[in-house]
């Protein structure tokens, strides 16, 4: 399901810093449920799609936060250099 949203699980595992802590935590908790109740939920037929959509949202949010941080840094540098 997650590959349908343009996210490669192998890339998530190889480069977790590109996806953010929240997305990685969600991904790992789906793969490795800690309780029998969590395992039962993970095995439901609709759960992979729900988790994939949640991870996709968290990745987009992480990237937007990074881009906003870069814009702020660039703006501060240009303001400082103008003075």
């Amino acid at each position: 399901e997650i590959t349908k949203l343009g996210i490669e699980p192998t890339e998530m595992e190889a480069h977790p810093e590109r996806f953010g802590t929240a997305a990685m935590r969600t991904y790992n908790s789906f793969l490795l449920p800690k309780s029998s109740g969590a395992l039962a939920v993970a095995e439901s037929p609709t759960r992979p799609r729900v988790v994939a959509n949640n991870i996709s949202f968290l990745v987009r949010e992480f990237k937007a936060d990074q881009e906003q941080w870069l814009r702020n840094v660039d703006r501060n540098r240009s303001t400082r250099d103008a003075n």
Side-chain angles (χ1 to χ4, degrees), residues 5-73:
L5 299 173
I7 300 171
E8 289 298 323
T10 54
E11 189 175 340
M12 286 186 78
E13 292 169 3
H15 304 286
E17 70 279 359
R18 295 182 187 169
F19 298 92
T21 305
M24 291 307 301
R25 197 170 40 239
T26 301
Y27 177 73
N28 288 327
S29 69
F30 177 72
L31 290 182
L32 305 167
K34 293 185 179 180
S35 68
S36 59
L39 178 60
V41 170
E43 291 178 339
S44 76
T46 58
R47 191 68 181 158
R49 186 178 328 117
V50 170
V51 172
N53 284 329
N54 190 13
I55 291 171
S56 177
F57 169 77
L58 292 169
V59 168
R60 287 192 313 268
E61 189 175 62
F62 176 74
K63 289 180 180 182
D65 287 344
Q66 284 187 319
E67 290 169 2
Q68 181 181 11
W69 182 83
L70 286 174
R71 282 191 300 273
N72 289 336
V73 168

